[in-house]
Amino acid sequence: MAIKPLPAKASLSQLRAQAKDLRRAVGKERPDAIERVRRQHPAYDENPAGFTLRDAQLTIAREYGLASWPELMEKVATELVEGRELHRYFGVELNNETWDLLEQIDENSPLLDQERLLYGAYAACLHWLEAGNEANHARGEHLIARVALRIGRVEIGLQHARRCLELVQAFPEQMSDWDEPFAREALARALAAVGEPVAARAELDRARELAGRVAGEGDRKVLEEELAKEPWFGLTTP
């Protein structure tokens, strides 16, 4: 089986884009894409609709001669960066990968997928503790909270949502104008999940108020899109 050489100056962003393209192509039932998967994916079940981003990542990794996506990530990262920059690199890549997978995995997914998602969020936060500042730490806590809530670990989600807001309030000079509304969005979800709808509503209302003050149109749009997404655990959103 032919192995493709890695592109010169390969990055995980490029490879992640390849995986997304492959997933879309399989979803459209393109014969060339399906044949690539058949050659590389040991458990492909001939169901294009069930072909996930994780499946696409495994296929891409094997095309480059690696046994798994984490091995491919490690190979590319160690060729590019060292030391503190390696922490920054993994902080970015793990953060992006976890967000990519967040809407594909929930509490009904296989336990191993849930664990990988949660541990990916923790790992991203750990790398940012080594390479970033309190703003990066707060964003890592936000991601952990969102993942934990997504997979039904609501008490863990509440713990990290509170820690996120605590950091945002303690270090305002390091934060962007969108950090606090995101922190309150996560806390609102967590409070709703543990059965505190009144407190959850107050946090959600505050998040919406602050979102309206975000200066950047693109940042404001991202916030509004996140606020519109489930799960809200029974809390009605306008």
Side-chain angles (χ1 to χ4, degrees), residues 54 105 109-119 151 153:
R54 192 179 296 282
I105 297 172
S109 299
L111 180 59
L112 184 58
D113 285 347
Q114 295 182 43
E115 290 172 338
R116 283 174 172 162
L117 189 68
L118 182 60
Y119 300 157
I151 62 175
R153 317 288 179 90

Side-chain angles (χ1 to χ4, degrees), residues 51-62:
F51 188 71
T52 67
L53 181 60
R54 192 179 296 282
D55 292 323
Q57 290 172 342
L58 175 60
T59 302
I60 295 295
R62 293 194 168 195

Side-chain angles (χ1 to χ4, degrees), residues 73-87:
M73 178 184 286
E74 181 179 1
K75 178 178 176 61
V76 172
T78 53
E79 289 180 358
L80 287 175
V81 288
E82 297 179 355
R84 189 169 186 270
E85 285 305 307
L86 188 61
H87 284 294

